[in-house]
């Protein structure tokens, strides 16, 4: 029987009911309408970051629903950013091909590493993912000839689509929002498929799933590969949007931030990554110049969420919908 050192709330059923679908549609409508509502560049900038965070956390939600917590998610975001950048700047590949390279590289690396790392469970898996994340960061710092070292890489070209440069915030937002919508749609499809039901079964009770004939190791490896590929996609988008990347942009805090978004949004719900990104992405702007206050706030928020709302804001909305339905 596997040793589960870290206990996560049991995943919710993949069917969220009519209220959950309504909330999901409303959240996605906010993403689509943002360019027409937010005329200022600052708000468009936040909207782009929200979409990129939805992509990054969507992949992580697959792994967390499988019962694993990874602290190297930010490392895969960084690897995706560097892979896409080097593919376009050094190899001369178009934007789409660079993004594909980022996803393939992170997925292949996750496949190889996951075969070894997933032999560990609980806190041991968390620790080895943390160690790998630090190794990636140090490797990016030391390999100056390829990554630019601490100086990073500047002048990353803007994204292109159908021969048009997406060099404005509004134009890039259209791309980012479209990919975010596809990510959420992919989650919706995955967790209503047999593979999604297997992921939920492994996340709820890995030992029982193994006894029932399910391959726990293979399911966890699949979730790890999906999470890493989505992280690589998010990193590629971030690199081409910001135009500059450095190892310090993909530290341990990126992984923690993605986990916090899922805890706040609801890691067991398809709506979770959307709500988490919408709520947590703009918050650093309220703490600009007060980093310590930001960290204290995040710590308190996570403690309160885990204590009183372990299923996150999406879970709270789903429970309210269930109670209202029962009252009728």
């Amino acid at each position: 029987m596997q040793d589960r050192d870290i206990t996560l709330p049991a995943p919710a059923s993949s069917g969220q009911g009519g209220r959950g679908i309504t909330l999901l549609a409303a959240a996605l409508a906010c993403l689509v309408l943002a360019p027409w509502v937010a005329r200022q560049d600052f708000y468009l900038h936040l909207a782009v970051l929200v979409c990129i965070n939805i992509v990054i956390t969507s992949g992580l939600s697959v792994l967390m629903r499988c019962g694993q917590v990874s602290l190297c998610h930010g490392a895969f975001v960084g690897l995706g950013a560097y892979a896409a950048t080097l593919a376009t700047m050094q190899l001369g590949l178009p934007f789409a091909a660079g993004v594909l390279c980022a996803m393939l590289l992170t997925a292949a690396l996750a496949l190889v590493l996951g075969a070894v790392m997933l032999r560990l469970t609980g806190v041991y898996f968390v620790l080895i993912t943390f160690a790998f994340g630090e190794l990636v960061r140090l490797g990016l710092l030391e390999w100056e000839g390829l990554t630019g070292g601490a100086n990073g890489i500047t002048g990353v070209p803007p994204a292109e689509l159908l021969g048009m440069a997406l060099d404005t915030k509004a134009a890039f937002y259209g791309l980012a929002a479209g990919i975010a919508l596809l990510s959420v749609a992919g989650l919706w499809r995955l967790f209503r498929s047999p593979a999604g039901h297997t992921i939920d079964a492994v996340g709820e009770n890995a030992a029982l799933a193994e006894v029932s004939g399910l391959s726990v190791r293979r399911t966890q490896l699949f979730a790890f590969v999906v999470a890493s590929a989505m992280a690589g996609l998010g990193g590629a988008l971030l690199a081409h949007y910001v135009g500059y990347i450095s190892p310090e942009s993909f530290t341990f805090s990126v992984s923690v931030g993605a986990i916090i978004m899922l805890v706040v949004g609801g890691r067991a719900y398809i709506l979770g990554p959307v709500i988490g990104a919408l709520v947590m992405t703009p918050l650093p702007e309220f703490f600009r110049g007060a980093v310590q206050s930001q960290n204290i706030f995040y710590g308190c928020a996570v403690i309160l969420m885990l204590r009183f709302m372990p299923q996150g804001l999406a879970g709270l909305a789903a429970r309210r919908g269930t109670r209202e339905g029962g009252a009728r």
Side-chain angles (χ1 to χ4, degrees):
M1 183 175 291
Q2 293 188 352
D3 177 23
R4 300 295 296 276
D5 296 299
I6 294 180
T7 302
L8 295 171
S13 171
S14 57
Q16 298 181 44
R19 185 181 181 86
I21 294 175
T22 301
L23 288 172
L24 178 60
L28 297 180
C30 290
L31 292 178
V32 174
L33 296 175
W36 288 269
V37 177
R39 297 292 183 180
Q40 298 183 24
D41 280 351
F42 172 72
Y43 296 110
L44 273 175
H45 171 69
L46 286 180
V48 171
L49 294 182
V50 166
C51 292
I52 294 176
N53 283 332
I54 288 174
V55 175
I56 293 172
T57 54
S58 292
L60 186 59
S61 71
V62 177
L63 184 62
M64 291 185 70
R65 279 181 72 151
C66 204
Q68 298 285 6
V69 178
S70 171
L71 293 181
C72 66
H73 202 63
F76 283 108
V77 175
L79 288 172
Y82 274 93
T85 298
L86 294 173
T88 53
M89 296 184 69
Q90 300 294 331
L91 302 180
L93 297 178
F95 166 74
V99 171
L100 182 60
C101 287
M103 296 183 69
L104 290 176
L105 172 67
T106 50
L109 187 58
L111 183 63
V112 174
L113 291 174
V116 177
M117 295 165 65
L118 287 167
R119 294 179 182 274
L120 303 175
T121 59
V123 70
Y124 302 105
F125 176 78
V126 175
L127 288 175
I128 196 173
T129 58
F130 171 75
F132 172 71
E134 286 300 295
L135 283 175
V136 169
R137 184 181 68 83
L138 293 174
L140 294 176
L141 277 172
E142 295 298 327
W143 202 350
E144 295 185 11
L146 185 66
T147 66
N151 295 323
I153 300 176
T154 60
V156 181
E160 290 187 4
L161 190 64
L162 300 178
M164 297 181 294
L166 307 180
D167 51 3
T168 65
K169 289 182 173 61
F172 193 91
Y173 175 81
L175 172 66
I179 294 177
L181 291 172
L182 289 176
S183 300
V184 176
L187 282 184
W188 184 87
R189 182 68 185 87
L190 172 63
F191 288 115
R192 281 159 178 76
S193 69
H197 297 321
T198 302
I199 288 173
D200 282 340
V202 171
E204 288 188 39
N205 193 320
L208 180 59
E210 188 77 53
V211 172
S212 302
L214 301 177
S215 177
V216 172
R217 186 76 55 78
R218 186 180 302 171
T219 302
Q220 291 174 339
L221 183 59
F222 169 76
F224 190 55
V225 170
V226 170
S228 302
M230 294 298 291
L233 172 58
L237 292 176
L238 187 63
H240 285 281
Y241 173 64
V242 177
Y244 166 76
I245 55 174
S246 75
E248 295 307 313
S249 301
F250 309 105
T251 60
F252 168 70
S253 61
V254 176
S255 301
V256 175
I259 293 172
I260 291 175
M261 287 183 193
L262 283 178
V263 169
V264 172
R267 63 112 192 168
Y269 292 85
I270 297 172
L271 191 61
V274 179
I275 293 179
L278 285 171
V279 171
M280 300 303 295
T281 301
L283 278 183
E285 298 303 323
F286 293 99
F287 294 96
R288 181 168 296 195
V291 178
Q292 294 303 321
S293 298
Q294 174 183 328
N295 293 335
I296 292 172
F297 174 82
Y298 281 0
C300 293
V302 170
I303 291 172
L304 292 174
M305 289 295 297
L306 290 175
R307 174 61 183 85
F308 297 105
M309 287 189 292
Q311 294 292 345
L313 296 176
L316 177 64
R319 287 196 302 272
R320 288 188 59 185
T322 302
R323 286 198 298 268
E324 290 175 6
R328 294 191 188 98

